[in-house]
Amino acid sequence: MTRPPAVPATTEQAGSTPDDTPEAPAVAASAVEAAPVSRKPPAPPRAGVPDAPPAAPRPVGARSRAKHRGPVASDAQLERQLEELRTRVRSIEFAPGLPGATEGETARADVLDQLNDYLLPRVRNADTPLLIAVAGSTGAGKSTLVNSLVGEQVTTTGVRRPTTNSPVLACNPADVHWFSEAAFLPSLPRVRQQGLAMPGKDGMLVLAASECMPQGVALLDTPDVDSAVSAHHEFAAKFLDAADLWVFVTTSRRYADARVWEFLQVARDRDTSLAVVLSRVPRRGREQLTAHFGAMLAANGLGHAARFTIPETDQIAGGRFTANTADQIRNYLADVAGDLAKRDLVSRRTFVGVLDSFRTRVPELARQVEVQAEAARSLTAAAERAYSAGLAEIDEATRNGSLLRGKVLARWQDVAASGELGRSLRVRGRRKAKPEGMGTRAQGLEKAIRDALEALIVSTAERAVEDIVEQWDEIPGARELADTHGLTTLPEELPRQARAAVTEWQRRVVRLIASDGVTKRSVARFVTYDEEAFGLVLIVGLLGFGTSEVTVSGGSSAAPQRLLKGVFGAESLRNIGATARQDLRDRISGLFEDEQRRFAEALAAARVPGDDDAAQLHQATNNLEIAR
């Protein structure tokens, strides 16, 4: 059940009252004026007015089985659209902790319960018994009223009765099958009452079959709406969602409580058929109390509700009123249940009111879906930005020569000064036909470059994770999601994967040189060369030699670019270099895509809904409107 905000200035007041006035909540007259005004004009008054002259007691409902129509004419089409809406709502899941999760889950359960427990059963079965739910405040005398309406004790009484969270449903034995697990609140366990007023276990529905109840009508004694146990509130709401008519009972002491008005405002917003009972009303100040309560009802758009009062009385025996205390209420319910037209009017009004409420309740559910979808987009975008920025940093670092410092620069100077590169190149016709290949110094340079690239990749990935987590911290629940899926640290295998990617890239550069047929044919007339050595020189050139203060001790070596151009030619060198640079970028990009995928998979595992889910909810709602 949707929980609207509480009515202003309606908390139970403490303190004493003058001797000539009743003990009632000390609510200021301004509270009536401050109460929210109905969003629609009140409907014409219905049967049942306060203080009507008592009539002869009658059972609740007619003894004959009265057939009545379903709530709407186009049942088949409406049922299909309600089924479609239920399918859409069922498919929605919310990621716990993220924005919209709590509100979305509440709205989802609320709509599903109303579909499963009220709308669909009444569309499918025109003869579903009229369900009257008696709800209200703790100690308001609901159970006593239910027993009095039934005509025998079917539920236990008392402020601390053992069945506080075990609602009791009284119906004719012939109607018990309507309230089996297969037809009514299927997720709720139930027990058949053995003897009178046998309490059930907490959270269990007690079915009380009574010959005193006419066929086609059922009375439900619900949990207290203001129980100290919060689970009882939702339990009470679940039963009210399944009822055709609410009989809401509150006391002269508690009628101004916020919790009372939360439930009454739900009835107003859904245009639920409603009767209100003010109980335990003392003789002194009776008119003042009832007038104030009536003013509050009117100010909150509930002036049309049938209203009754039950005086403060000790005329109770066997869990029932012994006088004619409840006759007005019994006669009102008998009129509603026994008159085919009134009965259809009550059921139709509540049914249509619930359908009308879906015009706002389902879009509100869709809005919470959109809230989560937006959170998911923000989280995904944070990961995309971080890794895109990291890849751009690596692009720059592999162009500007920043890697050719420290150990890499020392290795390059050592190689260049030693003459190893020169020995890898031989002019054809000299005594040695083949180059000597890379020596230990060149191999050391190759390893230093590999170590530098690996460290660059890993450190950039670490910064990306830090940036993502910092941005995820700004969205409630996202950090918990990151912790759960181990997203706050790098995977242990990333350094190994980075090293393997760089090693394979270095081999790829050598293969590019070896596979360039044009270069090989033109150069082969003059020189022979070692492909690994020249691949290493090409890598040094690609990493930005000459773009920063990279020098060789004593100036004993030519720049790599000059050497490579002299051997391969400018055009061929450009082609090889462009291919080699793109290959390195693709490998690093692949690693980062895998890292980014971890964040996407965490969101997918959390089952965050998307914009398509919201669109489908809106479409199902539109289809339902058309079917009506």
Side-chain angles (χ1 to χ4, degrees):
M1 175 184 292
T2 305
R3 297 287 181 268
V7 175
T10 56
T11 54
E12 187 173 6
Q13 305 292 321
S16 60
T17 56
D19 293 340
D20 58 343
T21 58
E23 292 187 48
V27 183
S30 59
V32 177
E33 300 172 2
V37 181
S38 172
R39 289 173 284 186
K40 53 188 171 183
R46 297 186 293 170
V49 294
D51 309 323
R58 286 185 287 163
V60 178
R63 284 289 177 182
S64 60
R65 174 64 166 158
K67 298 286 184 180
H68 66 289
R69 288 179 51 78
V72 231
S74 53
D75 289 349
Q77 183 182 5
L78 182 61
E79 181 180 353
R80 285 195 299 272
Q81 297 308 325
L82 288 172
E83 288 279 11
E84 178 191 344
L85 178 59
R86 182 173 67 171
T87 299
R88 296 300 183 194
V89 174
R90 273 179 172 173
S91 67
I92 301 296
E93 294 187 52
F94 289 91
L98 292 183
T102 302
E103 299 86 347
E105 285 292 354
T106 299
R108 176 182 179 275
D110 185 31
V111 172
L112 272 182
D113 285 348
Q114 198 93 72
L115 285 165
N116 290 329
D117 303 336
Y118 181 74
L119 292 173
L120 282 168
R122 280 154 181 77
V123 170
R124 291 167 179 162
N125 299 290
D127 291 337
T128 301
L130 186 74
L131 180 59
I132 302 170
V134 180
S137 309
T138 301
K142 299 187 302 298
S143 300
T144 303
L145 178 59
V146 168
N147 290 333
S148 300
L149 295 175
V150 173
E152 66 177 353
Q153 187 171 1
V154 293
T155 179
T156 54
T157 59
V159 175
R160 297 183 59 83
R161 64 190 179 98
T163 54
T164 298
N165 203 31
S166 293
V168 177
L169 189 149
C171 64
N172 187 275
D175 288 335
V176 169
H177 68 281
W178 287 107
F179 303 102
S180 67
E181 286 87 342
F184 179 72
L185 302 178
S187 62
L188 183 68
R190 65 208 65 204
V191 63
R192 295 287 185 93
Q193 190 181 84
Q194 302 296 323
L196 291 180
M198 285 287 291
K201 295 181 179 179
D202 199 46
M204 183 174 290
L205 173 64
V206 179
L207 293 180
S210 172
E211 293 289 350
C212 293
M213 288 294 297
Q215 285 185 250
V217 182
L219 272 175
L220 178 63
D221 184 15
T222 68
D224 301 326
V225 300
D226 55 357
S227 168
V229 182
S230 60
H232 292 187
H233 307 162
E234 299 303 323
F235 206 39
K238 189 175 183 67
F239 286 103
L240 290 173
D241 284 346
D244 297 289
L245 170 63
W246 294 10
V247 176
F248 199 91
V249 187
T250 187
T251 70
S252 60
R253 290 178 177 271
R254 311 200 68 164
Y255 72 84
D257 287 1
R259 194 67 187 165
V260 169
W261 290 96
E262 286 183 17
F263 278 83
L264 288 176
Q265 286 173 336
V266 169
R268 176 200 67 191
D269 293 343
R270 298 184 188 174
D271 202 23
T272 301
S273 296
L274 175 69
V276 183
V277 178
L278 185 63
S279 71
R280 302 189 185 280
V281 180
R283 183 179 301 276
R284 256 188 332 191
R286 178 172 177 269
E287 292 183 2
Q288 177 189 353
L289 280 169
T290 56
H292 182 260
F293 184 43
M296 291 188 71
L297 288 169
N300 283 276
L302 292 165
H304 65 275
R307 298 202 308 273
F308 305 92
T309 59
I310 295 179
E312 186 79 60
T313 179
D314 57 1
Q315 294 181 322
I316 299 173
R320 292 184 287 162
F321 295 115
T322 56
N324 61 350
T325 305
D327 287 354
Q328 294 181 47
I329 305 168
R330 181 188 299 108
N331 292 338
Y332 163 72
L333 295 180
D335 284 339
V336 170
D339 186 297
L340 184 61
K342 291 180 180 179
R343 181 171 171 171
D344 285 344
L345 181 62
V346 165
S347 61
R348 179 181 292 270
R349 175 176 185 166
T350 302
F351 187 92
V352 172
V354 171
L355 283 180
D356 287 345
S357 74
F358 277 13
R359 293 169 180 165
T360 56
R361 291 160 70 189
V362 178
E364 173 59 24
L365 173 59
R367 192 179 74 81
Q368 300 306 329
V369 169
E370 290 163 355
V371 167
Q372 286 234 313
E374 176 59 31
R377 279 194 298 272
S378 298
L379 297 174
T380 301
E384 291 175 350
R385 286 193 302 269
Y387 285 111
S388 294
L391 189 58
E393 290 175 12
I394 290 179
D395 283 342
E396 180 62 21
T398 54
R399 288 177 184 274
N400 63 16
S402 60
L403 286 179
L404 300 179
R405 295 189 176 95
K407 186 175 182 180
V408 176
L409 177 58
R411 292 292 186 183
W412 167 251
Q413 290 174 334
D414 189 26
V415 169
S418 69
E420 282 189 7
L421 290 178
R423 290 192 294 272
S424 69
L425 178 71
R426 293 299 179 190
V427 179
R428 183 170 288 283
R430 291 192 177 183
R431 187 160 51 88
K432 288 186 178 181
K434 290 185 177 181
E436 294 181 357
M438 288 202 308
T440 55
R441 290 183 177 85
Q443 291 173 354
L445 173 60
E446 181 184 47
K447 182 178 183 302
I449 292 173
R450 184 162 55 248
D451 292 343
L453 282 171
E454 176 192 339
L456 174 63
I457 294 170
V458 172
S459 63
T460 303
E462 286 176 339
R463 285 196 301 277
V465 168
E466 291 172 359
D467 290 344
I468 294 169
V469 172
E470 182 178 350
Q471 293 179 64
W472 279 36
D473 277 340
E474 297 175 1
I475 297 179
R479 180 55 184 264
E480 290 76 8
L481 181 63
D483 290 337
T484 300
H485 291 84
L487 302 178
T488 57
T489 57
L490 286 181
E492 294 180 359
E493 63 271 17
L494 182 62
R496 176 182 55 78
Q497 293 172 340
R499 189 168 192 82
V502 173
T503 300
E504 183 55 35
W505 175 68
Q506 290 175 315
R507 293 171 183 164
R508 169 69 169 153
V509 173
V510 173
R511 291 196 296 271
L512 285 172
I513 292 176
S515 63
D516 188 6
V518 175
T519 301
K520 290 175 72 71
R521 287 194 299 272
S522 60
V523 173
R525 293 180 296 170
F526 306 105
V527 298
T528 58
Y529 61 91
D530 180 71
E531 292 151 352
E532 291 184 359
F534 275 84
L536 183 59
V537 174
L538 176 60
I539 289 173
V540 171
L542 289 174
L543 294 180
F545 188 98
T547 60
S548 60
E549 297 179 0
V550 181
T551 60
V552 179
S553 299
S556 58
S557 173
Q561 291 296 102
R562 191 185 313 165
L563 175 61
L564 293 169
K565 286 180 181 178
V567 175
F568 298 104
E571 183 178 356
S572 182
L573 179 61
R574 279 195 300 272
N575 293 336
I576 295 174
T579 303
R581 184 176 296 283
Q582 186 61 47
D583 186 73
L584 176 61
R585 192 181 197 281
D586 290 344
R587 293 178 190 277
I588 298 173
S589 178
L591 290 174
F592 283 4
E593 286 174 1
D594 289 342
E595 285 298 289
Q596 184 178 324
R597 193 175 296 115
R598 293 195 304 136
F599 292 86
E601 289 173 350
L603 290 172
R607 306 190 72 84
V608 181
D611 290 324
D612 288 347
D613 296 307
Q616 290 173 355
L617 283 176
H618 286 301
Q619 184 59 54
T621 306
N622 292 337
N623 293 342
L624 180 59
E625 283 297 302
I626 294 171
R628 294 179 61 185

